[in-house]
Amino acid sequence: MTSTLGPDDLGDRERGAVEELLFRLADDEFVAAERYTEWQIYAPSLESDLALANIAQDELGHARLWYDLLQEFGYAEPDLVWERDPAEWTHSTLVELPFEEGDWADVIVRSYLYDTAEHLRLEALVGTSYAPIADRVGKAIAEENYHREHAQSWLERLAGDPGSESHERVQAALDRLFPHALTLFEPGPREDDVVDLGFRTETLDDLRTEWFEIAIPYLESLDLDVPDPEETALPEPVGRDGTHTDAWFELYEEFTHTYEDLGRPEPIRLRGEGA
Amino acid sequence: MSADDEVGFEPAPDSEACAYTDYARGDAPEEYPKTGEGATGAEREIWDALYEVEDPEMPVSVVDLGLIYGVRVEDAAAAGADGKRAVVEMTLTYTGCPAREMLLNDVRCAAMTAGDVDDADVRLRYSPPWNVNMVTERGRERLRDFGLSV
């Protein structure tokens, strides 16, 4: 499909669909990064600490790619992040869950499930009809490959010895996170428009099927029991519709604390106008 | 013993360790890097000013790094203003670049130093994605002097 549409070419229907698509992308990345940074200085080794910090930085960069495009519709940064009602965020519940204390298996399983889905989703945006997304998606895809390699390299070490404590912890994390990962593919109200208008070239159902085809055999190859998707109920809050676990609202309070309480509504400018 | 300790001191011959610091990957797309060659008038002045804007982490200009994708000066009337407006298109080496705001601001200020220019817009583009082969020969020399292997 030819990318011809820019922000000024969209009618209400098109704009609504692009916004829904961008908010889901940006919110997922922002909240995932917010959780990853909790591991700073606590990861099991210096290398793993740096690697996860780097992944978090990438995800924040990607969140900004997509929030930037929302700003082209007239939103300012506070509308998108610092002053946005937390009940309007549409990230998957997978990325908002707190980690079980000290549970490195959780972050590794979470990252594997998330980044595998993320890769499929970005690939389905390469042929988007919305030119600003097409311009940016290749850069994000190139930066994401490392995330999956990192997760798989750790998974293979942690789960390599069935019966060991680390294998059991990976299994427990998988059991806990898998239902939440399914919410990645829950549609929003404008999902049909997103696909019909060519903003994403695959349906969420197709992306979920591909995700199953990659993730399930891989996890089973590590002697892990993957919950049967047919028999796995979605969690009560699914995230995509603005319903979230209590942990999200606490996290939101935490990361907006400085903005709210310290009277720093604008970033400090180091030089140039307004400095 | 952590899993990390199991990696021997000598990497195996087929080791892919440090694959991510191999800056030699990628090709420079046709027409890149843009260096301002052949630019005249206010656009020439802007390119010259951009050669003075350095990356905050390395002593090399944003032009020699290959970050500038285009410079043009147009009548600002289209945007409902008077005078001339510069539009600079540029990229970042990676999306999470912490120096983003500083670079955008420095580039905008540089563009506004040109004689005829009253206002400037800096627009980020990510296609083609930047890679190290978009660094100019002079940029490479500077980076080598700085101690990087490029």
Side-chain angles (χ1 to χ4, degrees), chain A residues 45 47 57-58 61-62 64-65 68 135-136 139 143 146 149 157 269-273, chain B residues 3-4 20 92-98 100 102 105-106 108 124-127 129-130:
Chain A
S45 67
E47 283 183 357
Q57 189 176 0
D58 287 347
H62 299 161
R64 191 152 58 182
L65 285 181
D68 272 358
D135 176 74
R136 290 167 176 236
K139 187 80 173 172
E143 291 178 348
Y146 162 73
E149 284 185 44
R157 282 187 278 170
R269 297 197 73 95
L270 297 178
R271 33 176 155 157
E273 293 162 280
Chain B
D4 283 337
Y20 302 98
L92 299 172
T93 57
Y94 75 115
T95 61
C97 176
R100 174 185 189 259
M102 182 182 275
N105 185 61
D106 287 358
R108 179 162 181 267
L124 281 175
R125 272 178 44 195
Y126 290 92
S127 290
W130 180 89

Side-chain angles (χ1 to χ4, degrees), chain A residues 80-204:
Chain A
L80 297 170
V81 179
W82 314 114
E83 295 178 15
R84 188 160 142 228
D85 184 344
E88 288 178 6
W89 288 60
T90 54
H91 55 273
S92 155
T93 55
L94 175 69
V95 296
E96 76 193 29
L97 297 176
F99 298 109
E100 302 279 308
E101 190 175 341
D103 190 2
W104 183 244
D106 182 313
V107 70
I108 294 302
V109 172
R110 181 182 308 205
S111 168
Y112 175 73
L113 298 175
Y114 176 67
D115 286 316
T116 302
E118 181 65 8
H119 180 66
L120 294 169
R121 169 165 67 170
L122 294 176
E123 290 284 353
L125 293 174
V126 170
T128 180
S129 59
Y130 190 59
I133 293 177
D135 176 74
R136 290 167 176 236
V137 71
K139 187 80 173 172
I141 288 173
E143 291 178 348
E144 288 277 345
N145 288 336
Y146 162 73
H147 301 186
R148 293 193 310 289
E149 284 185 44
H150 176 260
Q152 287 180 227
S153 141
W154 268 103
L155 267 181
E156 285 157 26
R157 282 187 278 170
L158 292 176
D161 183 11
S164 65
E165 184 189 352
S166 67
H167 188 277
E168 282 169 18
R169 284 195 182 203
V170 171
Q171 182 66 59
L174 180 59
D175 292 341
R176 185 170 63 247
L177 296 173
F178 192 79
H180 291 279
L182 296 179
T183 72
L184 287 164
F185 305 98
E186 276 302 286
R190 296 170 191 273
E191 173 59 19
D192 289 345
D193 283 351
V194 168
V195 176
D196 291 346
L197 297 167
F199 297 134
R200 189 182 342 94
T201 56
E202 288 193 68
T203 65
L204 289 170

